[in-house]
Amino acid sequence: MSDAKIYKNFINGKWVESKSGETFENRNPADTSELLGLFQKSNEDDVNEAIAAAAEAYKSWRLVPAPKRGEMLYRVANRLLADKERISQEMTKEMGKIIKETRGDTQEAIDMTYYMAGEGRRLLGMTTPSEMMSKFNMTIRQPLGVCSFITPWNFPIAIPSWKMMPALICGNTIVIKPATDTPLSVVNLMKACEEEGIPPGVVNMVTGSGSKVGTPMIMHGDVKVVSFTGSTEVGRIVSEACAPNFKHSCLEMGGKNVQIVMDDAKLELAVDGALWGAFGTTGQRCTATSRLVVHKDVYNKFIDMIAERAENIKVGNGLDESVEMGPCVNEDQLNTVLKYIEIGKTDGAKMVCGGERLTGGDYDKGFFVKPTIFTDVTQDMRIWKEEIFGPVLGIAKCNSFEDAVEMANDTIYGLSASIYTQDINKAYTAMRDVYTGIFYVNAPTIGAETHLPFGGTKETGNGHREAATAALDVYSEWKSVYVDYSGVLQRAQIDNAE
Ligand code: NAD
């Protein structure tokens, strides 16, 4: 018998076992001998129970005044803040990213929760004059009902909070399925809600696989919004499943983000940005820099500078404060990275550092790979086109600013991009012409703040944005209200047409 801790689903305010009676393991990718716990391998019956609880709770939650909902979220934020260090340590253990970054991930959830708590006293609509006498016009936001959330492993608590907090403040109830690699972080989020008095059924969590739990969460007739963050491949499946009944879907998907370095850039700064953008979170960010476009006049110098720094990145267990890059999240992801390194070589790119799995000593316990850089990358190569989601950076040469913009846009994705230049005209032109949802000047492609909209164009998203007040548009629908106090029938576009 294993003495591993058993974590349960959270349904209708209670911690309950799955009807399947089965569990799955959650292990530390930096040391696979460490078992963090056993989680419920749930099925459709569990999903149905969670959705029924959320549908029932919606009847009263939607009527709780938004400022009161905000007060509850404010307390949840305080709780997350008090538990920040423990939550972050557990997150590093379950997904591998370094402790500085998991503290950032938890902080992002705290920021989002405070932010949306404040929205409880705004949720602004508008009033506007009527075209008729003695008539009052206004818009109000109305919630939709039960929302299903399907989330990835790379931001285990931040991404769930981006979905949950705007949905709750608008008056919806939710069911979430965390990624199977990172359920513990969502358990921590549920605990904070439970401890701070979010009523039973308002938030529910069901753990398990995409097919057994994710699919019924999308298909269920009582679900009004599906919010998904993950790969473009699965996002397409979600979109198609929602289409027949016009179920709302908010999709945040893949990226192939570019950093442009012009000949007038501060090169040290551009190297700092590229290293953080490419190798932060072991390259497993949707906004990670995976393409660098460098002007020909500084190309060789830039490559020498970045390769030397990348060689010296300290890789290891993310709980060690001195470590700069953790492991890949699991063996599949490690194998994907190693596969793309081989593809890069076969396609003719030049590898200037890294390129192999780290072995020996403690490295043998986890899924560690060296930070890897390819140069001489061309636009026909697979490492230029395809999302790798690992610490592999491809560098291509450009001849001019116009070239750089064309190359930046040469991707099916459109999440994030950045330019390093001292020329304000080039910075603004790139800001206008690079077609992404997020753009940085003299900063890396990563580093979003919670009060700005987050999301991407093209095959990265379906037009919605997370975070900021933009998120409220996903979790509410506008109702236009006309109040006629004239006491007579007034016909729009008819009675006052002359
Ligand atoms: P993934 O698509 O494999 O899985 C995401 C979630 O979907 C998981 O919870 C998974 O269990 C579930 N799932 C898988 N198949 C499903 C199905 N058929 N039906 C329902 N649910 C299903 O992605 P991942 O590997 O967890 O995350 C990496 C991907 O996420 C990358 O492509 C990355 O770019 C993307 N991502 C995007 C953003 C963004 O905001 N644009 C943020 C983070 C990650």
Side-chain angles (χ1 to χ4, degrees):
M1 267 296 279
S2 159
D3 55 1
K5 185 159 185 196
I6 295 175
Y7 292 91
K8 298 180 181 170
N9 288 332
F10 188 60
I11 298 176
N12 207 16
K14 295 196 172 60
W15 295 94
V16 292
E17 285 174 7
S18 164
K19 306 270 186 292
S20 76
E22 294 179 68
T23 55
F24 64 91
E25 291 184 343
N26 182 7
R27 288 185 179 272
N28 182 343
D31 177 358
T32 52
S33 66
E34 186 179 2
L35 179 61
L36 297 172
L38 298 173
F39 290 78
Q40 303 302 307
K41 201 186 255 187
S42 311
N43 58 27
E44 188 168 356
D45 292 338
D46 304 306
V47 171
N48 289 343
E49 197 176 310
I51 291 172
E56 186 59 31
Y58 176 67
K59 292 176 190 165
S60 46
W61 182 248
R62 76 182 184 90
L63 299 176
V64 174
K68 291 285 162 207
R69 293 197 292 257
E71 282 168 23
M72 286 185 223
L73 293 197
Y74 194 81
R75 290 201 298 271
V76 172
N78 286 345
R79 165 64 45 198
L80 293 172
L81 186 58
D83 293 345
K84 179 176 169 181
E85 189 56 28
R86 177 185 59 78
I87 293 171
S88 307
Q89 300 248 354
E90 290 183 354
M91 196 190 304
T92 289
K93 286 185 192 172
E94 78 169 343
M95 74 88 47
K97 70 180 167 184
I98 62 172
I99 185 70
K100 274 194 194 76
E101 291 188 43
T102 52
R103 286 183 193 127
D105 196 312
T106 310
Q107 187 60 46
E108 204 165 309
I110 295 165
D111 292 348
M112 182 59 79
T113 310
Y114 279 131
Y115 179 79
M116 288 300 163
E119 275 307 310
R121 286 198 179 266
R122 280 184 296 270
L123 285 183
L124 300 176
M126 67 171 182
T127 62
T128 187
S130 169
E131 64 187 48
M132 282 168 285
M133 297 271 283
S134 302
K135 196 168 180 185
F136 187 85
N137 293 351
M138 62 186 156
T139 60
I140 56 171
R141 288 184 183 275
Q142 54 190 339
L144 288 99
V146 179
C147 304
S148 281
F149 299 154
I150 299 173
T151 54
W153 43 261
N154 64 337
F155 278 85
I157 201 164
I159 291 177
S161 78
W162 292 0
K163 299 183 189 303
M164 237 169 89
M165 303 312 165
L168 294 179
I169 203 65
C170 288
N172 305 280
T173 54
I174 71 111
V175 178
I176 182 167
K177 184 200 94 60
T180 45
D181 284 305
T182 55
L184 183 51
S185 298
V186 176
V187 166
N188 283 328
L189 195 52
M190 292 296 121
K191 276 189 188 156
C193 292
E194 180 191 26
E195 283 165 17
E196 298 307 328
I198 301 284
V202 171
V203 297
N204 304 274
M205 179 198 69
V206 182
T207 57
S209 71
S211 53
K212 293 269 167 49
V213 179
T215 304
M217 278 175 62
I218 300 163
M219 302 307 289
H220 198 293
D222 285 347
V223 168
K224 306 301 176 196
V225 183
V226 178
S227 182
F228 166 84
T229 300
S231 60
T232 296
E233 192 188 354
V234 176
R236 187 166 282 117
I237 296 172
V238 175
S239 180
E240 285 171 2
C242 289
N245 297 318
F246 312 105
K247 197 174 278 181
H248 292 203
S249 64
C250 171
L251 308 172
E252 296 294 343
M253 301 170 286
K256 191 72 189 171
N257 313 289
V258 68
Q259 177 181 316
I260 297 170
V261 182
M262 292 311 299
D263 47 345
D264 63 354
K266 290 192 171 167
L267 288 193
E268 282 289 350
L269 186 67
V271 169
D272 284 345
L275 289 170
W276 176 227
F279 303 124
T281 320
T282 319
Q284 303 170 126
R285 287 190 186 216
C286 48
T287 50
T289 310
S290 57
R291 300 182 296 146
L292 258 183
V293 171
V294 182
H295 192 276
K296 62 179 172 34
D297 291 350
V298 291
Y299 187 73
N300 291 335
K301 185 172 178 200
F302 185 87
I303 287 167
D304 290 345
M305 288 167 73
I306 195 170
E308 192 194 332
R309 294 268 306 274
E311 285 282 2
N312 291 315
I313 288 175
K314 186 172 173 189
V315 182
N317 188 322
L319 283 181
D320 175 345
E321 299 270 359
S322 69
V323 162
E324 295 167 297
M325 192 180 99
C328 296
V329 73
N330 57 35
E331 195 165 9
D332 278 355
Q333 202 62 34
L334 172 71
N335 288 334
T336 302
V337 170
L338 296 174
K339 181 187 86 180
Y340 272 104
I341 289 171
E342 287 312 308
I343 289 170
K345 288 190 217 164
T346 312
D347 282 358
K350 190 171 148 201
M351 205 169 68
V352 293
C353 69
E356 55 191 21
R357 184 175 182 170
L358 280 155
T359 51
D362 285 348
Y363 286 134
D364 288 338
K365 296 184 191 163
F367 307 119
F368 297 97
V369 66
K370 287 186 179 172
T372 301
I373 299 180
F374 283 101
T375 66
D376 300 359
V377 173
T378 52
Q379 289 169 263
D380 55 344
M381 290 181 186
R382 284 182 65 190
I383 59 167
W384 170 269
K385 294 179 186 166
E386 296 171 20
E387 185 179 43
I388 301 171
F389 226 55
V392 181
L393 175 64
I395 308 185
K397 190 190 287 182
C398 70
N399 294 317
S400 64
F401 171 73
E402 289 71 24
D403 245 14
V405 171
E406 183 278 319
M407 291 167 82
N409 283 328
D410 180 30
T411 168
I412 59 167
Y413 300 111
L415 186 54
S416 182
S418 90
I419 187 167
Y420 281 75
T421 179
Q422 293 303 301
D423 181 336
I424 194 167
N425 297 334
K426 288 198 175 84
Y428 271 82
T429 307
M431 183 180 81
R432 184 191 64 194
D433 292 345
V434 176
Y435 183 42
T436 53
I438 305 168
F439 191 78
Y440 294 91
V441 178
N442 292 325
T445 59
I446 64 180
E449 299 176 34
T450 52
H451 52 300
L452 276 78
F454 183 96
T457 61
K458 299 194 268 186
E459 294 193 19
T460 294
N462 64 340
H464 294 289
R465 292 290 182 267
E466 298 207 291
T469 49
L472 303 175
D473 293 333
V474 175
Y475 300 108
S476 63
E477 284 186 300
W478 286 115
K479 182 177 275 177
S480 298
V481 182
Y482 303 87
V483 182
D484 193 322
Y485 54 99
S486 69
V488 294
L489 174 67
Q490 302 193 83
R491 295 171 299 180
Q493 293 91 38
I494 296 175
D495 289 337
N496 56 359
E498 273 126 50

